[in-house]
Amino acid sequence: MIRVNNISDSILVKEYVNGNEASLSILINRHQQRLFSFIYSKVQSKDVTEDIFQDTFIKVIKTLKKGKYNEEGKFLPWVMRIAHNLVIDFFRKNNRMPNFKNTDEFDIFSVLGDGSLNAEKKIIQEQIYNDVRELINELPEEQKEVLVMRMYKDMSFKEISENTGVSINTALGRMRYALINMRKLIEKHKIILVN
């Protein structure tokens, strides 16, 4: 008889998908301690850790049952990513992340800088960077170009004007519309940005 420890995660996943419920128990037991420690290190609460741990495996089961799992041989990193996203959701839902009001003075990029980050803030900041990148990609090309030059390449509007072949006023206008559209996208996607 093959020892349980010698069976790879990917074989256990296949067996579970094919109806062997015991395979999932083996996977959970195999990764329980590491996953539990990972979640606890972020939320610092045993009860919340248990809730997120359970939610993680509910999501894992649903994904496996739908046949949508395709992370061949990378079961643990995939499960950790699910847990990581649920931790971020927890912080967002429990208002541990301040919400910014949509005003003309609001500068989306003012929320991105913070030198001393603890683990919780690092996770949240990574998510913010990803969210902002995705929002920028939804902008019209001309607005995206000006915004990237201004915010990421630190170019002046004069330099942007020279690089794009448009007047300074046009570059300013594109930047203004880019920020307006970013605000609309933030509301549309209900994204929360924090400092």
Side-chain angles (χ1 to χ4, degrees), residues 121-135:
K121 284 185 178 174
K122 276 185 184 155
I123 289 174
I124 295 166
Q125 190 176 49
E126 277 174 35
Q127 188 63 48
I128 292 169
Y129 282 131
N130 291 336
D131 290 346
V132 170
R133 266 195 295 274
E134 286 177 28
L135 292 176

Side-chain angles (χ1 to χ4, degrees), residues 180-192:
I180 288 169
N181 286 329
M182 290 283 282
R183 282 190 206 112
K184 287 178 184 170
L185 289 167
I186 288 167
E187 282 183 6
K188 176 182 157 194
H189 296 299
K190 294 180 173 43
I191 290 174
I192 301 167

Side-chain angles (χ1 to χ4, degrees), residues 76-94:
L76 182 61
W78 174 66
V79 173
M80 297 287 260
R81 202 161 52 247
I82 291 171
H84 171 94
N85 290 339
L86 290 170
V87 166
I88 290 169
D89 290 347
F90 164 76
F91 288 133
R92 285 183 170 166
K93 281 182 195 143
N94 290 286

Side-chain angles (χ1 to χ4, degrees), residues 39-83:
I39 297 167
Y40 185 81
S41 74
K42 308 300 178 213
V43 298
Q44 301 291 307
S45 159
K46 195 168 184 286
D47 292 340
V48 173
T49 299
E50 285 171 3
D51 289 346
I52 292 175
F53 181 85
Q54 286 181 349
D55 289 347
T56 300
F57 275 98
I58 288 168
K59 216 165 186 171
V60 165
I61 290 166
K62 284 180 180 172
T63 305
L64 293 175
K65 294 269 188 204
K66 288 179 186 168
K68 292 189 175 178
Y69 173 78
N70 59 1
E71 307 270 328
E72 193 61 42
K74 296 178 184 155
F75 181 75
L76 182 61
W78 174 66
V79 173
M80 297 287 260
R81 202 161 52 247
I82 291 171

